[in-house]
């Protein structure tokens, strides 16, 4: 067969390079193992095996990455043959040496393809991993049986139960990669393939032949039983409430206890159990919700191909906790930042706090010394607004009062160049009102980061009435560059996240007056799956922050019960961790929270004064349902108002900004799992129970009960 002749079975092609056949996969965007790709691999493999002229085979991909996994969008549909385990079994059993040419992000089924080949050649920075647990799954095509045979039990347990990828360089040291190809800017297109073909010839010339990972033995020691127990305990803490990681440990243990084929069969059974679970449905929903959020809905995307504004230089107003974290976000991606403060003292304090946070990242191995100094050098302090004349974007992170923000924006409007974007990091305040203090309201919007801003993935991009598309699209693209999950939302009090959080917090505060203790409420929510309970979160972020925002909003003062428990803490000077006491008392050495019975006395007295009957049999289920149903109800209302345009956006916000358990998919997805009718029934009970001000069932929920629709698909 002459080299140029190719049997085109889209998206997989069989090419011949002398006596080496190349199975070339091209399935943009990430060469996922869709049904067509699986079919293509099988037929090309058959053709290459039958061809006597072919002595060895290379599996390679065209595009941005080698296979990044099974096609997640096919899950939930009937699985079509050939199934992946069968495809990979054919690779493993092939009578001719097969070499995988690896680059980009080789994940899930893609890594299993590589492990089913007999040899692996990779570019040094290639990322390889089995992240299935992040989708509520386990590797389902042999990964839990193959990886321990090649990399050992410890590495396999770490990579599979934590879903943690490693570079080819690291895996070369663990015997997973056979040849590393140095990666530098001069590396010509296709040279990885050339290297893989040369490597194939070396294998042939040295007579090494096929080398099946499936036939390798796993190195075990007497302590492997202990090892599995240790990992079960570790994962029970790290992935609280998630089932897939524990299934992964069972599957890997089978690799030690059972012959390969039996272990693979058990893996498949566990995989199918996980795949059909509500947890995996929720985590796959989360995966696509985060990617959908990056695509602006029609209402924000009327003009195609709007040119984005270049953002090279930014400024941040305020060097406090938020301002410092935001400045770090920009420096982390190589953007120069002018950090403005009112006084040299504040500035010095802010810059030293930033260096401390970079030092912490250094000590945790997230950055190295060179990167630390590079990023610090990108952040330049100033106390002079005139220095901001040439920046492309300003993010204001000053005090949460309207007057201060309007003052700052009118000053920025005078000093900044005409096409500079002016963004505010306000958590609650009316951005339309702020924009009116400038002559460029079309260039004003919200960039709502979450604390700590350099860590939290969420960025609420708040589109005000006059914000133009170019400004919005430029900031959404910048959010992606910062590695954030950016979600476009409209203006209302607290936007999407904090408005819903206020309802969640309202119920927690009400329950304190009704007799529940802070620890009882926080334990109930931790048991439900939240990373932290609402009152511990309040103490950590400072009870006075939201208190000040509430003081700015007259409407909220109408109900004497509204956040009364929190107000009592602030009035008593108990602001949280920063004052050593809030809803809890904090040990001065360990900073650990301790239950403080005295707050219960304060709440009981206030309840008596406000005529709230205290109950001492409030169940965990009532606490959990009141807080979560309040979220769902408000989320449905926000959707109907168009403040959020997709339910999946609301879920992306809660998963990346508020520690909502990923295996529950977000409040909207969770509502479908519980059943909208059950949620509405609960709301009606709490309406009866409450003071009638809050628990009005969102009209959308009532409609969905009738239409049997899904909230998460709105
Ligand atoms: N299946 C289907 N679509 C996928 C996909 C996948 N595996 N991975 C990405 N996409 C789409 C994504 O929705 C987006 O589409 C586009 O590709 C670009 O993605 C049997 C069962 C590879 C690191 O978990 O981690 O194999 O929005 O925006 O930031 O054992 O995508 O443009 O229409 O994320 O450059 C295991 C998941 C599957 C990897 C690229 N694999 N993907 O990141 O781009 S389970 C994974 C990622 C499995 C086997 C099991 C990332 C990426 P659209 P993107 P990116």
């Amino acid at each position: 067969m002459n080299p140029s002749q190719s049997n085109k079975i889209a998206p997989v092609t069989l090419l011949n390079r002398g006596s080496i056949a190349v199975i070339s996969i091209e399935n943009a965007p990430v060469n996922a193992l869709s049904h067509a790709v699986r079919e293509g691999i099988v037929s090309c493999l058959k053709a290459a095996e039958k061809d006597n002229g072919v002595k060895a085979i290379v599996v390679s991909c065209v595009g941005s990455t080698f296979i990044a996994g099974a096609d997640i969008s096919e899950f939930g549909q009937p699985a079509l043959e050939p199934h992946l385990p069968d495809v990979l079994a054919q690779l493993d059993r092939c009578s001719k040496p097969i070499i995988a040419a690896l680059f980009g992000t080789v994940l899930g089924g893609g890594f299993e393809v590589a492990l089913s080949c007999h040899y692996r050649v990779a570019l040094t920075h290639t990322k390889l991993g089995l992240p299935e647990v992040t989708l509520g799954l386990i590797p389902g095509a042999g990964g839990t049986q193959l990886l321990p045979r090649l990399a050992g039990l410890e590495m396999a347990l770490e990579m599979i139960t934590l879903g943690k990828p490693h570079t080819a360089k690291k895996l070369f040291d663990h015997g997973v990669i056979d040849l590393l190809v140095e990666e530098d800017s001069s590396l010509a297109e296709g040279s990885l393939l050339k290297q893989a073909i040369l490597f194939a010839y070396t294998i042939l010339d040295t007579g090494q032949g096929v080398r099946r990972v499936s036939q390798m033995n796993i190195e075990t020691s007497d302590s492997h039983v202990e090892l599995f127990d240790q990992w079960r305990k570790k994962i029970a803490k790290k992935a609280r409430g998630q089932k897939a990681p524990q299934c992964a440990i069972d599957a890997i243990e089978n690799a030690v206890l059972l012959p390969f084929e039996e272990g693979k069969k058990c893996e498949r059974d566990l995989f199918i159990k996980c795949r059909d679970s509500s947890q995996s449905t929720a985590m796959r929903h989360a995966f696509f919700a985060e990617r959908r959020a990056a695509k602006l809905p029609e209402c924000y995307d009327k003009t195609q191909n709007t040119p984005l504004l270049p953002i090279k230089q930014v400024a941040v107003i305020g060097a406090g906790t938020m301002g410092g974290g935001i400045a770090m976000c920009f420096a982390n991606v190589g953007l120069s930042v002018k950090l403005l403060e009112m006084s040299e003292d504040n500035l010095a304090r802010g810059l030293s706090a930033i260096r401390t946070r970079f030092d912490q990242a250094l000590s945790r191995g997230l950055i190295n010394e060179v990167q630390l100094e590079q990023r610090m050098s990108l952040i330049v302090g100033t106390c002079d607004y005139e220095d901001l004349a040439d920046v492309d974007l300003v993010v204001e992170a000053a005090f949460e009062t309207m007057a201060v923000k309007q003052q700052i924006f009118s000053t920025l409007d005078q000093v900044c160049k005409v096409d500079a974007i002016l963004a505010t990091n306000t958590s609650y305040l009316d951005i339309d009102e702020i924009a009116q203090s400038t002559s460029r309201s079309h260039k004003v919007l919200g960039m709502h980061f979450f604390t700590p801003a350099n860590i939290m993935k969420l960025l609420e991009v708040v589109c005000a009435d006059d914000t133009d598309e170019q400004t919005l699209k430029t900031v959404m693209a910048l959010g992606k560059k910062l590695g954030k999950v950016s979600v476009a939302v409209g203006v209302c009090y607290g936007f999407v996240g904090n408005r819903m959080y206020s309802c969640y917090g309202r119920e927690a505060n009400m329950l304190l007056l009704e007799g529940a203790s802070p620890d009882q409420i926080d334990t109930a929510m931790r048991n439900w799956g939240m990373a932290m309970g609402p009152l511990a979160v309040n103490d950590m972020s400072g009870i006075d922050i939201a208190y000040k925002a509430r003081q700015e909003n007259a409407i909220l003062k109408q109900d004497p019960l509204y956040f009364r428990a929190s107000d009592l803490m602030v009035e008593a000077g108990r602001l949280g961790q920063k004052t050593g006491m809030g809803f809890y008392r904090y040990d001065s050495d360990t900073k650990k929270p301790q239950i403080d019975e005295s707050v219960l006395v304060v709440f009981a007295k206030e309840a008596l004064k406000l005529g709230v009957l205290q109950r001492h049999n409030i169940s965990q289920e009532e606490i959990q349902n009141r807080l979560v149903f309040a979220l769902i109800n408000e989320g449905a209302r926000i959707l109907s108002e168009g403040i959020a345009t997709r339910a999946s956006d609301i879920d992306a916000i809660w998963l990346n900004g508020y520690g909502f358990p990923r295996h529950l998919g977000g409040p909207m997805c969770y509502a479908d799992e519980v059943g909208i009718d059950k949620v509405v029934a609960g709301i009606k009970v709490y309406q009866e129970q409450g003071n009638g001000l809050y628990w009005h069932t969102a009209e959308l929920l009532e409609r969905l009960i009738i239409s049997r629709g899904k909230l998460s698909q709105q």
Side-chain angles (χ1 to χ4, degrees):
M1 192 192 301
N2 67 37
S4 63
Q5 187 192 359
S6 62
N7 301 342
K8 182 100 189 110
I9 303 168
V12 183
T13 314
L14 186 62
L15 313 170
N16 272 30
R17 296 287 178 275
S19 57
I20 310 296
V22 178
I23 298 178
S24 176
I25 299 162
E26 186 167 3
N27 182 30
V30 294
N31 288 314
L33 288 157
S34 64
H35 178 234
V37 170
R38 297 194 306 274
E39 274 189 326
I41 293 174
V42 169
S43 57
C44 287
L45 189 61
K46 276 206 187 95
E49 243 193 315
K50 231 172 41 212
D51 182 340
N52 295 333
V54 170
K55 304 300 179 214
I57 301 165
V58 169
V59 177
S60 87
C61 286
V62 176
S64 65
T65 178
F66 187 81
I67 303 164
D71 189 332
I72 307 169
S73 62
E74 286 185 353
F75 292 138
Q77 298 160 27
L80 300 174
E81 296 210 354
H83 300 308
L84 192 56
D86 308 327
V87 176
L88 303 198
Q90 291 179 41
L91 282 173
D92 177 67
R93 281 200 303 271
C94 181
S95 59
K96 302 173 181 177
I98 304 188
I99 294 92
L102 309 173
F103 66 105
T105 49
V106 181
L107 303 172
F111 193 12
E112 290 172 305
V113 167
L115 292 169
S116 305
C117 293
H118 305 137
Y119 301 93
R120 285 147 291 279
V121 171
L123 294 181
T124 39
H125 301 315
T126 306
K127 269 231 178 105
L128 300 102
L130 293 170
E132 283 81 349
V133 288
T134 64
L135 297 165
L137 299 165
I138 67 167
T144 64
Q145 308 304 301
L146 293 165
L147 189 58
R149 282 174 163 77
L150 210 45
L153 280 174
E154 282 272 5
M155 176 61 91
L157 280 162
E158 184 200 53
M159 292 187 78
I160 297 173
T161 61
L162 300 175
K164 190 172 172 207
H166 279 305
T167 62
K169 195 161 182 333
K170 171 134 185 179
L171 291 172
F172 178 79
D173 303 339
H174 279 76
V176 174
I177 302 297
D178 301 289
L179 175 69
L180 280 178
V181 177
E182 274 314 315
E183 201 164 350
D184 60 36
S185 51
S186 66
L187 193 72
E189 177 71 23
S191 48
L192 168 67
L193 181 55
K194 267 206 200 82
Q195 294 288 335
I197 291 169
L198 284 175
F199 183 82
Y201 279 115
T202 320
I203 296 292
L204 294 172
D205 298 346
T206 53
Q208 289 178 60
V210 299
R211 192 186 61 171
R212 299 189 172 96
V213 179
S214 62
Q215 293 171 354
M216 294 179 185
N217 297 323
I218 297 185
E219 277 169 34
T220 56
S221 65
D222 302 345
S223 62
H224 75 259
V225 175
E226 219 178 294
L227 177 71
F228 287 116
D229 284 352
Q230 279 166 8
W231 274 89
R232 285 196 171 89
K233 290 198 184 79
K234 180 173 167 178
I235 293 298
K237 266 215 204 94
K238 253 186 175 311
R240 225 160 36 85
Q242 295 187 27
K243 300 203 177 82
Q246 296 294 344
C247 292
I249 298 175
D250 298 345
I252 298 168
E253 192 170 31
N254 286 335
V256 173
L257 303 174
L258 303 171
F260 179 76
E261 286 306 331
E262 281 179 50
K264 199 175 164 185
K265 172 130 187 11
C266 294
E267 174 201 82
R268 191 72 189 168
D269 297 344
L270 287 166
F271 167 77
I272 289 168
K273 191 175 99 185
C274 290
R275 182 196 64 196
D276 300 344
S277 71
S278 62
Q279 289 201 354
S280 182
T281 307
M283 294 171 94
R284 294 188 322 251
H285 163 79
F287 177 86
F288 287 115
E290 286 157 356
R291 278 145 190 86
R292 199 174 301 121
K295 300 191 183 100
L296 282 176
E298 245 172 67
C299 60
Y300 293 131
D301 185 8
K302 297 197 178 72
T303 11
Q304 299 305 317
N305 312 326
T306 314
L308 304 183
L309 289 166
I311 304 289
K312 294 200 179 56
Q313 268 212 89
V314 300
V316 176
I317 311 292
T321 313
M322 280 312 288
I326 296 169
M328 291 172 76
C329 288
F330 291 121
N332 285 344
V333 294
L335 288 171
S336 62
V337 188
K338 292 184 177 170
L339 185 58
L340 184 135
E341 254 297 351
M342 304 308 283
S343 71
E344 291 298 341
D345 287 359
N346 287 0
L347 191 54
R349 239 193 327 274
L351 289 168
S352 111
I354 290 174
R355 180 169 282 279
T356 307
R357 287 156 87 173
F358 275 133
D359 282 336
Q360 285 159 355
L362 178 69
S363 60
R364 290 174 51 210
L366 300 173
I367 56 173
N368 59 37
E369 278 286 354
V370 177
Q371 289 167 322
L372 186 151
E373 292 312 328
Q374 239 170 13
R375 291 169 196 202
M376 270 316 290
S377 67
L378 283 169
I379 303 175
V380 177
T382 177
C383 293
D384 183 353
Y385 271 93
E386 292 304 328
D387 287 344
L388 309 190
D390 58 353
V391 299
D392 306 307
L393 163 75
V394 182
V395 182
E396 166 275 318
F399 278 118
E400 190 70 351
T401 59
M402 184 55 80
V404 169
K405 296 201 188 283
Q406 288 177 319
Q407 177 50 50
I408 290 172
F409 272 70
S410 74
T411 309
L412 290 171
D413 194 34
Q414 283 142 38
V415 296
C416 291
K417 62 183 183 180
V418 279
D419 60 353
I421 294 174
L422 305 183
T424 171
N425 178 56
T426 179
S427 307
Y428 289 89
L429 301 178
D430 184 337
I431 299 176
D432 291 317
E433 216 176 314
I434 294 172
Q436 294 320 314
S437 60
T438 74
S439 62
R440 61 174 86 191
S441 57
H442 63 294
K443 289 268 155 226
V444 175
L445 80 177
M447 287 180 77
H448 183 205
F449 291 80
F450 287 73
T451 192
N454 57 313
I455 311 273
M456 293 299 282
K457 290 220 35 154
L458 180 63
L459 177 66
E460 256 185 339
V461 178
V462 189
C463 189
D465 288 351
D466 298 348
T467 307
D468 65 23
E469 269 196 34
Q470 185 178 44
T471 302
L472 178 63
K473 288 178 177 173
T474 300
V475 168
M476 286 294 284
L478 178 62
K480 182 153 185 156
K481 179 174 177 173
L482 297 177
K484 301 291 183 191
V485 173
S486 308
V487 186
V489 299
V491 173
C492 68
Y493 182 72
F495 320 124
V496 172
N498 281 350
R499 175 172 156 184
M500 291 168 72
Y501 196 68
S502 303
C503 303
Y504 177 89
R506 176 199 73 218
E507 287 308 305
N509 274 263
M510 202 52 216
L511 283 157
L512 289 170
L513 287 184
E514 291 172 26
S517 71
D519 181 56
Q520 191 187 354
I521 294 171
D522 282 352
T523 306
M525 294 321 292
R526 276 203 312 279
N527 292 348
W528 184 80
M530 293 302 271
M532 272 175 94
L535 302 161
V537 170
N538 242 335
D539 276 0
M540 180 181 70
S541 49
I543 309 173
D544 54 325
I545 304 290
Y547 174 84
K548 285 195 192 112
R550 283 195 300 278
Q551 300 314 307
E552 285 263 321
N553 191 315
I555 299 166
L556 302 176
K557 290 189 194 140
Q558 287 164 1
D559 171 14
L561 301 179
Y562 189 76
F563 278 84
R564 187 65 196 130
S566 295
D567 294 354
L568 285 166
M569 295 294 99
V570 175
E571 288 156 15
R574 302 175 66 114
L575 308 184
Q577 288 183 9
K578 58 186 171 191
T579 54
M581 57 182 169
F583 291 104
Y584 300 92
R585 190 175 284 282
Y586 292 85
D587 178 288
S588 49
D589 305 331
T590 64
K591 303 281 180 253
K592 285 231 171 330
Q594 294 160 339
I595 293 176
D596 182 345
E597 304 287 347
S598 70
V599 296
L600 302 183
V601 180
V602 174
F603 299 147
K605 238 200 238 143
E606 191 71 8
L608 195 60
K609 203 171 88 191
L610 294 169
V612 174
L613 190 63
Q614 290 229 314
R615 294 178 288 138
H616 295 295
N617 57 352
I618 298 173
S619 70
Q620 169 160 284
E621 192 195 4
E622 177 182 348
I623 294 170
Q624 293 167 342
N625 285 351
R626 276 175 66 173
L627 271 67
V628 176
F629 290 5
L631 277 183
I632 295 168
N633 198 37
E634 196 63 19
R637 221 191 285 282
I638 285 172
L639 263 178
S640 300
E641 292 167 25
I643 303 292
T645 49
R646 297 170 289 215
S648 60
D649 286 352
I650 295 179
D651 286 340
I653 285 171
W654 271 80
L655 292 168
N656 292 282
Y658 296 85
F660 197 97
R662 203 169 174 84
H663 59 277
L664 299 177
M668 304 290 107
C669 178
Y670 179 71
D672 291 334
E673 175 59 25
V674 170
I676 310 278
D677 51 348
K678 183 161 176 251
V679 172
V680 169
I683 291 171
K684 293 195 186 312
V685 169
Y686 304 136
Q687 190 176 35
E688 300 285 314
Q689 228 172 266
N691 62 7
L693 275 179
Y694 303 109
W695 286 106
H696 305 297
T697 311
E699 185 265 330
L700 174 59
L701 296 181
E702 305 275 18
R703 240 183 327 109
L704 286 170
I705 290 180
I706 299 160
S707 67
R708 294 179 183 286
K710 281 191 175 290
L711 182 57
S712 60
Q713 284 159 19
Q714 299 305 304

